């Protein structure tokens, strides 16, 4: 029976990691996989996480089961960072822990499907796993343009989709630090999107995987909060894997906002049943560490400081790239105004390949770069190589 399974394409980024590891050129540059890196190229454990983990080791007295909703202390502690002062929107929001942001997106889409969604509108390009999850759930992906050809967020296209949406449709939006383009909606654009959603038949699903890596924790939640203030119902997927550096510990949360708080129990009982059938319950360790941090003022301050250091470095690299301006046929100026880890360069596949073969520069075939792979010591080489392959 198993012979009938046809091979699936390997994950392109994982294949790239292997090629990069095997390359012995000392000045190689890895702009592929989506993790933060310091100026020295490391992805260290946050000091705040290390301290929280020490406390966990000393204080945790049981590893007994928690249940499908995971660590509710973690889920609740995160809410003010996402939703602001009135963190439950008057008792209309509840959440549960998930295995990473991926688990949260999966759960949100499965729940939407259970409630009647058949089609999901998604700005393209997007994180490739969005499409994979939709395919796996047998949901129809209806794509629209995320950005214009001038590299600005395409407001008309998203507003058109929202206005034409039918009952049961879901609109999936990136909360901040758009993956892969780095092109976020401005606050004014978010206001317009929130107004449109308030008049729309569609339910929004907001996927926030990089809060704090763009402009600031609060600033990066602007769009999410603007939408929640206007719409009756919404689904939210949050990842703490980037902004706490907990990638492999798989730390995420799913939240639902209901029209009326009295509906939350039924909604969350469905979410819990889906979680139970998928992964039973999420891994505990990383979420417990985040709870320890968020419940302690000193650790919270330390974490926010570390996050700011990351954000500042990303902004510095972006500013430096923008300063370089034109590199061959590639205009690097827009990268200065984009947010988060990623940007897409308009490179043909053959140019991406030439960068790898001739210059030891590794990036996704789509031209997506992780700007955290750059630092003051290698930007010049990168900019020169871009000019060489594109002029
Ligand atoms: N959503 C988006 C847009 C992402 O880019 C990512 C991570 N690459 C995720 C969700 C999921 O993150 P994780 O499962 O690692 O927490």
């Amino acid at each position: 029976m198993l012979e009938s399974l046809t091979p699936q394409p390997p994950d392109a980024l994982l294949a790239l990691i292997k090629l990069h590891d095997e390359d012995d050129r000392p000045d190689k540059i890895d702009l592929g996989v989506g993790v933060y890196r310091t100026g020295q190229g490391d992805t260290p454990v946050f000091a705040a996480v290390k301290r929280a983990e020490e406390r966990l080791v000393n204080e945790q007295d049981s590893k007994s089961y928690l249940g499908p909703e995971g660590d509710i202390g973690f889920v609740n502690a995160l809410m003010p960072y996402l939703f602001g002062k009135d963190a439950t929107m008057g008792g209309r929001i509840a959440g549960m822990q998930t295995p990473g942001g991926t688990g949260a997106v999966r759960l949100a889409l499965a729940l939407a499907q259970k409630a009647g969604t058949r089609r999901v509108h998604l700005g393209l390009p997007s994180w490739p796993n969005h499409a994979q999850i939709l395919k796996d759930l047998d949901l129809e992906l209806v794509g629209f343009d995320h950005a214009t050809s001038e590299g600005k967020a395409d407001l008309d296209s998203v507003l058109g989709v929202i206005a034409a949406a039918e009952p049961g449709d879901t609109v999936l939006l990136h909360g901040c630090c758009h993956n892969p383009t780095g092109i976020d909606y401005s606050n004014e654009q978010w206001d317009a999107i929130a107004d449109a959603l308030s008049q729309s038949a569609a339910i929004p699903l907001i996927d926030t995987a990089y809060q704090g890596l763009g402009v600031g924790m609060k600033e990066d939640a602007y769009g999410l909060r603007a939408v929640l203030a206007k719409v009756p119902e919404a689904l939210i997927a949050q990842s703490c894997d980037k902004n706490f550096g907990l990638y492999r510990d798989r730390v995420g949360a799913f939240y639902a906002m209901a029209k009326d708080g009295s509906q939350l129990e039924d909604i969350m009982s469905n979410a819990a049943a889906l979680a139970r059938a998928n992964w039973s319950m999420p891994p505990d360790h990383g979420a417990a560490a985040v709870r320890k941090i968020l419940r302690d003022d000193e650790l919270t301050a330390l974490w926010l400081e570390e996050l700011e250091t990351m954000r500042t470095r990303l902004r510095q690299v972006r500013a430096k790239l923008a300063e370089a301006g034109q590199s061959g046929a590639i205009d690097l100026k827009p990268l200065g105004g984009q947010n988060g880890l990623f940007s897409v360069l308009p490179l043909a596949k053959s140019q991406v390949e030439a960068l790898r073969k001739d210059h030891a520069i590794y990036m996704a075939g789509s031209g997506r770069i992780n700007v955290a792979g750059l630092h003051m010591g290698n930007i010049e080489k990168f900019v020169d190589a871009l000019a060489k392959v594109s002029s």
Side-chain angles (χ1 to χ4, degrees), residues 14-24 28 356 362:
L14 297 185
L16 199 70
I17 294 176
K18 195 159 170 275
L19 283 178
H20 175 265
D21 288 349
E22 286 165 2
D23 190 334
D24 52 16
K28 62 186 176 182
R356 178 164 57 79
Y362 289 76

Side-chain angles (χ1 to χ4, degrees), residues 100-102 105 127 130 174 179 207 209-210 239 241-242 250-251:
T102 307
V105 171
W127 178 46
H130 280 149
H174 295 230
N179 178 6
D207 179 11
Y210 303 91
S239 172
D241 290 328
K242 320 285 160 146
R250 314 303 304 128
V251 188

Side-chain angles (χ1 to χ4, degrees), residues 120-131:
V120 177
H121 300 276
L122 175 65
L124 297 177
S126 191
W127 178 46
N129 213 16
H130 280 149

Side-chain angles (χ1 to χ4, degrees), residues 365-384:
S366 60
R368 186 192 85 165
I369 61 164
N370 172 10
V371 301
L374 294 169
H375 50 75
M376 297 311 148
N378 65 13
I379 287 186
E380 212 174 284
K381 167 185 156 115
F382 175 63
V383 173
D384 286 349

Side-chain angles (χ1 to χ4, degrees), residues 68-225:
E69 68 285 353
D71 186 328
I72 283 297
F74 152 79
V75 173
N76 291 336
L78 207 55
M79 289 175 75
Y81 292 95
L82 276 165
F83 308 123
K85 273 203 191 77
D86 177 13
T88 65
M89 299 293 283
R92 290 167 56 216
I93 301 183
M96 55 193 285
Q97 191 205 326
T98 54
T102 307
V105 171
R106 170 89 199 191
L107 185 58
L109 287 168
L111 188 76
Q113 185 174 42
K114 220 174 164 195
T117 280
R118 298 291 170 264
R119 304 198 302 178
V120 177
H121 300 276
L122 175 65
L124 297 177
S126 191
W127 178 46
N129 213 16
H130 280 149
Q132 284 171 195
I133 294 171
L134 291 172
K135 184 161 178 256
D136 199 51
L137 284 168
D138 219 1
L139 285 164
E140 185 189 350
L141 189 168
V142 187
F144 63 90
D145 289 333
H146 173 66
T148 64
S149 49
E150 290 86 49
K152 299 262 183 297
D154 192 337
L155 184 66
D156 290 342
S157 124
V158 66
L159 291 183
V161 159
I162 292 170
E166 289 169 16
D169 286 0
T170 293
V171 179
L172 170 46
L173 300 167
H174 295 230
C176 62
C177 305
H178 187 269
N179 178 6
T181 66
I183 299 170
D184 286 338
Y185 297 116
S186 68
N187 290 356
E188 295 69 32
Q189 289 177 322
W190 273 116
D191 289 340
I193 290 168
D195 278 335
L197 281 166
S198 74
Q199 306 297 316
S200 170
I203 186 169
L205 161 53
I206 304 200
D207 179 11
T208 304
Y210 303 91
Q211 191 185 3
L213 273 71
V215 183
M217 278 298 286
K218 189 169 164 218
E219 292 82 351
D220 291 351
Y222 183 91
L224 171 67
R225 294 182 194 178

